[in-house]
Amino acid sequence: MDTITVTPGAIESVLELRKEYGEDGWGLRYGITGGGCSGYKYVLEFEPDPESDDLVFEQADGLRVFVKQEHMEKLKNSVIDWKDSLMESGFDIANPQAKRPCGCGESVDF
């Protein structure tokens, strides 16, 4: 079965960000959009509810991840993690469908 996984560290960061933005209880939209040097960019943003064509993946602590059905073929079995180092912090996506991430880390090719 295809899935989307959010690691415990990423869930903790998502919950903190939701609270900071005043969006407690909102879900996390995970998707792709055209752009970037490799053709696609990941989308990670908060939304109050899923849309009618969304797949919803329940995570720990009540976090829901919304993915459009049309994006699932390119995003299936992704793991959304959180990295935090001296150089950078933010989401880190391991996507088995990605053929080639760009050097800037902002976009991906399928």
Side-chain angles (χ1 to χ4, degrees):
M1 183 174 142
D2 298 330
T3 188
I4 303 297
T5 303
V6 183
T7 66
I11 289 172
E12 182 180 331
S13 295
V14 167
L15 297 178
E16 288 175 17
L17 289 169
R18 272 192 339 195
K19 190 171 194 163
E20 183 178 319
Y21 294 139
E23 296 168 346
D24 276 339
W26 287 31
L28 180 66
R29 162 74 53 204
Y30 173 47
I32 51 174
T33 187
C37 53
S38 292
Y40 292 94
K41 293 179 84 169
Y42 289 116
V43 173
L44 287 169
E45 57 194 17
F46 296 120
E47 291 186 2
D49 296 297
E51 295 178 9
S52 61
D53 61 340
D54 283 342
L55 299 169
V56 179
F57 298 91
E58 302 285 339
Q59 307 291 315
D61 295 321
L63 176 65
R64 298 175 300 155
V65 178
F66 309 144
V67 179
K68 294 215 171 288
Q69 289 183 29
E70 65 192 65
H71 294 171
M72 196 58 188
E73 194 60 34
K74 290 183 170 62
L75 300 176
K76 64 185 177 185
N77 303 318
S78 291
V79 176
I80 302 170
D81 197 5
W82 182 264
K83 60 183 170 190
D84 202 358
S85 70
L86 291 173
M87 298 298 286
E88 60 185 329
S89 66
F91 291 103
D92 186 35
I93 297 172
N95 180 352
Q97 277 50 253
K99 289 187 172 94
R100 179 175 51 109
C102 75
C104 69
E106 296 289 318
S107 66
V108 65
D109 184 19
F110 294 100

